[in-house]
Amino acid sequence: MTQQVIIITAALLGMLSVIFGAFGAHALKKILSSDQLQSFEVGVKYQMYHAIVLLVLGFNSDMVTSATYWCFTLGVLLFSFSIYGLVLSDAKGKKLRFLGPVTPIGGLLLVSGWFLLLLSAF
């Protein structure tokens, strides 16, 4: 993966994290229960954490493998975005249950990305 692609991905995920965080804190605060809002915030936090990691890796691209990049990127998309979908669909009374198993797959990809990063340090 090129440095430019990694940094662009990090910037997009970070930007969307801020947008979704503001959306959750303001627009959704009146619509979601406290449990739903807390779940939504977990998705936002994990998205931002991994955007920051990708940004750091982008500036140290010798430490990142293509597999690490894809694990983090797909992990965020599957983990955070499935949480967003579950919470928002539940708030509308039509919970998209098929997204339930997607969240742990995303989490497993995030863990795998961290493991690959650990391996690259050795």
Side-chain angles (χ1 to χ4, degrees), residues 11-86:
L12 285 170
L13 290 175
M15 178 185 69
L16 288 172
S17 181
V18 172
I19 291 169
F20 294 159
F23 183 64
H26 300 289
L28 298 178
K29 193 173 188 177
K30 297 173 185 174
I31 299 168
L32 301 180
S33 69
S34 61
D35 285 345
Q36 290 170 326
L37 192 57
Q38 187 175 14
S39 292
F40 192 87
E41 289 172 355
V42 166
V44 170
K45 287 177 187 177
Y46 274 70
Q47 183 175 337
M48 181 57 83
Y49 297 154
H50 290 88
I52 293 168
V53 168
L54 282 171
L55 185 63
V56 170
L57 291 175
F59 287 111
N60 297 290
S61 54
D62 57 317
M63 287 193 64
V64 65
T65 65
S66 181
T68 304
Y69 166 81
W70 283 112
C71 281
F72 282 143
T73 302
L74 293 175
V76 166
L77 293 175
L78 294 176
F79 182 82
S80 293
F81 284 73
S82 66
I83 290 175
Y84 304 147
L86 283 166

Side-chain angles (χ1 to χ4, degrees), residues 92-119:
K92 291 189 171 204
K94 297 180 181 181
K95 191 169 187 174
L96 300 174
R97 297 197 185 279
F98 73 90
L99 290 175
V102 174
T103 308
I105 293 170
L108 184 59
L109 284 168
L110 293 174
V111 170
S112 297
W114 284 105
F115 180 73
L116 291 171
L117 183 59
L118 177 66
L119 288 180

